[in-house]
Amino acid sequence: MTNPLATIGRVFLNALAEIGRLSHFAAIAVMHIFMPPIYWRLALQQMWLIGYNSLPVVGLTALFTGAALAQQIFVGGSRFNAESVVPGVVVIAIVRELGPVLGGLMVAGRVSSAMAAELGTMRVTEQIDALTTLSTDPINYLVVPRLIAAVLTLPLLVLVANTIGVLGGFVIGTERLGLNSGTYLQVTADFLENADIVSSMVKAAVFGFIIALMGSYHGYNSRGGAQGVGKATTNAVVSAFIMILLANLIITVIVFGNQV
Amino acid sequence: MTEQAKITPMIQMDNIHKSFGPKHVLSGFSLTVQKGESVVIIGGSGTGKSVALKSILGILKPEQGSIKVDGTEITTLSNRERKPILAKIGMLFQGAALFDSIPVWQNVAFGLIQGKGMNKVEAREIAIEKLRRVGLTPDVGDLSPAELSGGMQKRVGLARAIASEPEIIFFDEPTTGLDPIMSDVINDLIVECVQDLGATTLSITHDMASARKIADRIAMLYQGKIIWEGDKSQIDASGNDYVDQFIHGRAQGPIEMQLLKP
């Protein structure tokens, strides 16, 4: 029988050690952004993979979510004869929360896993060690382009997601719920503030950093052959999800916590 | 001149200790490789042969001990400071470790383009010449590494290792996974390329045919230490029971195989 206290202690210590290793990796990766060379061509290639290829899945997610949201708010609002709040609540909910969070989660599912699998395979087949022997810093060559690409691309993706999300609400609102299309757009514009858009973009950039960091960290440090790469892929996605949701909460509290 | 070469060996590893958790992989490992010499480390699987090579490259950091490359102590250097040392070293990896996202010629030219900033046209010419050197035709250069057989991948790996004409070359199990004939072809190529460049080499293998072919000197690694080293002509008369058991591949003897990974 193992002592339950010892088990709790071991789990706690392992978690702390993992946080330490991750922070160390993140610090090194960020430092390397300022240590040339920067492989811009690889960063552009990653932007294409992360951004363009994620458009369909992010767009569909935003469309369906915006539409469902409009339907729900209409049903809820009609109890108080307040159907007219639909456009305002949809745009606030999409831009402040759902656009960045759902967009970030969808991209994390696609991209963190792909990064972890690619870098993990490179690790176990010694390709990362080979970079070192060819006078090329693996952090500069592999991690920095992914971080730069994700941080720059996610805000653009989320901008698209926000627009399509609002559009989803608009379509349901005007076609199915009988709201006036001119009024809908007017209310949307009135409710939306610059701070909402800025916070949305900040969130997106932070989520981009998390997505690339988690994919790179787990891939770069994977070990133990095919099974290790599989584990790295799963861990990358799960940890990216949790960190995105946590970061979202923190940013929301900081930005909107004082608006009562 | 000879005296000078004796004073600063190309690689000097002294009393290296390296553990992974409770397992001591290297415990007091010492080895010296003179300029222009080819040394082969033999030893069973999992005895820490790769760890020794990766310590010299700085990929792994030993807990204790000194490693000098061409007279420069490298264990205390930062990654940035180590770069000029690494530029002197080429390596052929066990699984060739070719980058599968780029074509063969870019693999060969990688160190020239990314490491030395050479322009692509010039680098491509050198890559094609190096491919020819290892017996591959220029059209192979445009293939993807995944399209090549194991033997061809090893050749490309060798071409990549020699492309920047390094002073030191490491060979990690150069013949593992190849049939005996292809093994011999690769061994011959290694010997030729090393002679062309006049390079110093350090190899690890458990293939005795390969060791006999490419080595000037052989060192046997067992339980984290070099337990025997000498000229390759002395290997059959080493008088060391461990060496005898290893080179004859006997199951019975002083070396007890650990079947489980510790």
Side-chain angles (χ1 to χ4, degrees):
Chain A
M1 277 295 273
T2 47
N3 183 347
L5 277 177
T7 313
I8 294 171
R10 201 160 38 238
V11 168
F12 186 66
L13 287 178
N14 282 343
L16 282 183
E18 182 69 13
I19 291 170
R21 280 192 291 267
L22 175 63
S23 310
H24 182 238
F25 184 85
I28 286 179
V30 170
M31 264 163 54
H32 275 73
I33 296 177
F34 303 102
M35 291 157 73
I38 293 183
Y39 296 93
W40 288 109
R41 221 176 52 83
L42 295 177
L44 279 176
Q45 205 178 328
Q46 287 296 325
M47 287 178 83
W48 181 263
L49 289 174
I50 298 168
Y52 184 78
N53 292 353
S54 298
L55 271 177
V57 63
V58 168
L60 287 174
T61 305
L63 183 71
F64 298 150
T65 306
L69 197 60
Q71 177 69 55
Q72 285 288 12
I73 293 163
F74 182 83
V75 172
S78 62
R79 291 188 210 159
F80 315 102
N81 289 326
E83 295 89 342
S84 60
V85 299
V86 169
V89 178
V90 166
V91 72
I92 295 282
I94 290 284
V95 174
R96 286 189 184 179
E97 296 290 328
L98 295 174
V101 170
L102 290 180
L105 293 179
M106 294 311 278
V107 177
R110 272 195 76 241
V111 173
S112 295
S113 54
M115 285 181 182
E118 185 176 359
L119 297 194
T121 306
M122 290 187 74
R123 166 62 72 198
V124 301
T125 56
E126 297 188 303
Q127 290 180 51
I128 293 181
D129 293 340
L131 282 172
T132 306
T133 68
L134 295 165
S135 306
T136 305
D137 188 312
I139 299 281
N140 275 95
Y141 191 77
L142 298 172
V143 180
V144 169
R146 285 170 167 77
L147 280 178
I148 292 178
V151 170
L152 295 181
T153 312
L154 256 280
L156 294 175
L157 266 177
V158 168
L159 208 58
V160 173
N162 290 345
T163 312
I164 295 179
V166 170
L167 196 73
F170 175 82
V171 170
I172 285 279
T174 53
E175 296 300 317
R176 190 176 142 77
L177 308 173
L179 300 172
N180 176 282
S181 62
T183 320
Y184 194 106
L185 292 179
Q186 185 61 46
V187 174
T188 298
D190 287 348
F191 264 79
L192 190 62
E193 289 174 15
N194 284 338
D196 298 330
I197 300 174
V198 171
S199 81
S200 191
M201 296 299 100
V202 169
K203 281 182 178 182
V206 171
F207 299 166
F209 183 78
I210 291 171
I211 288 166
L213 180 69
M214 288 304 161
S216 303
Y217 170 74
H218 289 285
Y220 199 84
N221 295 303
S222 74
R223 59 197 74 242
Q227 203 184 13
V229 175
K231 215 168 101 189
T233 310
T234 310
N235 288 343
V237 175
V238 172
S239 59
F241 274 28
I242 289 174
M243 284 197 53
I244 284 174
L245 294 171
L246 176 65
N248 179 61
L249 174 62
I250 293 170
I251 298 172
T252 297
V253 169
I254 290 173
V255 176
F256 300 103
N258 296 323
Q259 297 181 1
V260 183
Chain B
M1 185 66 205
T2 341
E3 198 60 29
Q4 182 66 28
K6 282 254 162 31
I7 291 165
T8 45
M10 210 58 176
I11 299 167
Q12 189 168 25
M13 303 178 81
D14 201 22
N15 195 26
I16 303 293
H17 289 258
K18 175 73 192 171
S19 345
F20 295 98
K23 161 86 175 160
H24 299 287
V25 179
L26 297 179
S27 41
F29 176 94
S30 299
L31 183 72
T32 302
V33 185
Q34 302 295 344
K35 198 170 181 0
E37 193 181 27
S38 286
V39 173
V40 172
I41 305 172
I42 57 172
S45 311
T47 49
K49 302 190 298 292
S50 300
V51 175
L53 282 192
K54 287 182 179 172
S55 300
I56 304 174
L57 293 170
I59 293 168
L60 294 174
K61 303 231 182 308
E63 285 102 34
Q64 195 191 321
S66 144
I67 303 174
K68 286 182 182 155
V69 176
D70 207 3
T72 310
E73 175 66 48
I74 59 152
T75 47
T76 52
L77 297 184
S78 70
N79 284 347
R80 201 140 280 246
E81 293 166 324
R82 197 180 286 116
K83 232 181 152 181
I85 306 286
L86 287 174
K88 297 181 184 179
I89 304 176
M91 177 155 175
L92 173 57
F93 285 85
Q94 188 175 347
L98 302 178
F99 306 123
D100 34 34
S101 56
I102 52 177
V104 165
W105 79 265
Q106 282 189 28
N107 266 281
V108 178
F110 196 93
L112 301 171
I113 296 172
Q114 306 295 354
K116 296 192 172 173
M118 189 183 281
N119 75 59
K120 278 198 167 184
V121 181
E122 204 180 330
R124 191 187 156 100
E125 270 174 34
I126 296 179
I128 298 293
E129 179 211 315
K130 298 294 173 193
L131 283 173
R132 192 173 285 135
R133 182 68 198 84
V134 298
L136 296 172
T137 51
D139 54 299
V140 174
D142 294 318
L143 299 177
S144 146
E147 295 174 82
L148 306 181
S149 68
M152 279 167 99
Q153 287 187 353
K154 279 275 162 78
R155 287 178 197 238
V156 175
L158 178 59
R160 185 174 71 179
I162 62 171
S164 55
E165 312 203 332
E167 295 172 50
I168 302 168
I169 311 178
F170 294 159
F171 297 103
D172 184 357
E173 313 261 356
T175 56
T176 297
L178 302 178
D179 66 69
I181 298 170
M182 185 53 84
S183 295
D184 202 45
V185 170
I186 295 290
N187 288 333
D188 282 339
L189 273 175
I190 287 174
V191 172
E192 284 167 25
C193 291
V194 170
Q195 276 172 358
D196 283 357
L197 293 173
T200 306
T201 73
L202 180 57
S203 315
I204 55 184
T205 188
H206 47 233
D207 172 1
M208 282 313 298
S210 175
R212 285 172 198 276
K213 195 135 193 176
I214 64 182
D216 298 327
R217 212 147 54 79
I218 296 177
M220 166 110 183
L221 176 60
Y222 182 65
Q223 291 189 336
K225 284 193 187 76
I226 297 294
I227 55 161
W228 182 88
E229 62 177 296
D231 197 87
K232 76 169 158 189
S233 58
Q234 298 164 357
I235 188 102
D236 291 309
S238 64
N240 184 312
D241 292 343
Y242 294 87
V243 175
D244 276 344
Q245 185 192 350
F246 188 84
I247 64 176
H248 295 112
R250 296 193 200 105
Q252 269 75 41
I255 304 174
E256 284 178 24
M257 279 305 195
Q258 285 177 309
L259 295 178
L260 284 174
K261 264 200 165 180

